[in-house]
Amino acid sequence: GGGRGPVVRVGVHGQKVRLENVEIRGGAHEFGSGVLVEGYSDVVLSACVVAGNQRGPSGGHGIGVHRGNVVVQGGSVRDEAVVTTAATASFEGASVQSLVAREGAEVTVAGGSVARLALFGTSTRQPTVTLRGATVGETDNGSTYPGTVVVE
């Protein structure tokens, strides 16, 4: 990444991006230093490692998803992943250090593990996280406007 912005940035609507067996590191940005998804697009990370990206003031230094859909299949996210606003994400058999769902985000975790899960809503929009056979460590469900956690 070279510390000059996100390593992978998807800012255009309608894109289909797939990365396999890639290590994403060295990014530096306000939000989404490793992978930043701003456009209504579909992004798949298969067996990738996201680690060693710089934390910006808005978090999500591993993966930052503001719009669109991200699927993480296997691999690991050692940096924080933040899914917010008009975004959906699915973590399938992945190891995630820190996962934050904000506002109206919809997140599914199927298998794999999440060391820290946090949900933060607003007065009008709350996130939803669905857990299917996943191991979750510490959980923080925002005390003012909590999100919804569904265990299947």
Side-chain angles (χ1 to χ4, degrees):
R4 295 188 186 109
V7 178
V8 177
R9 182 181 205 153
V10 181
V12 178
H13 301 318
Q15 299 299 300
K16 293 194 182 299
V17 177
R18 181 177 182 88
L19 298 174
E20 294 185 34
N21 300 307
V22 174
E23 189 167 329
I24 300 167
R25 67 171 48 250
H29 196 260
E30 180 178 317
F31 177 70
S33 296
V35 177
L36 174 59
V37 180
E38 300 173 298
Y40 290 101
S41 292
D42 295 313
V43 177
V44 176
L45 304 175
S46 180
C48 293
V49 174
V50 182
N53 295 288
Q54 234 177 350
R55 182 176 180 81
S58 299
H61 58 292
I63 300 173
V65 188
H66 185 62
R67 293 181 193 91
N69 179 53
V70 171
V71 177
V72 177
Q73 301 169 327
S76 65
V77 181
R78 297 181 194 146
D79 297 331
E80 180 180 73
V82 176
V83 184
T84 187
T85 318
T88 60
S90 177
F91 296 83
E92 303 167 355
S95 171
V96 182
Q97 182 63 36
S98 178
L99 175 58
V100 179
R102 294 185 188 152
E103 300 172 17
E106 294 183 17
V107 178
T108 300
V109 181
S113 64
V114 176
R116 178 182 178 273
L117 174 64
L119 294 87
F120 301 101
T122 66
S123 61
T124 58
R125 296 173 8 167
Q126 293 77 38
T128 300
V129 175
T130 301
L131 303 172
R132 293 188 186 118
T135 302
V136 177
E138 175 187 343
T139 302
D140 177 5
N141 194 357
S143 59
T144 306
Y145 299 107
T148 301
V149 178
V150 177
V151 179
E152 296 180 348

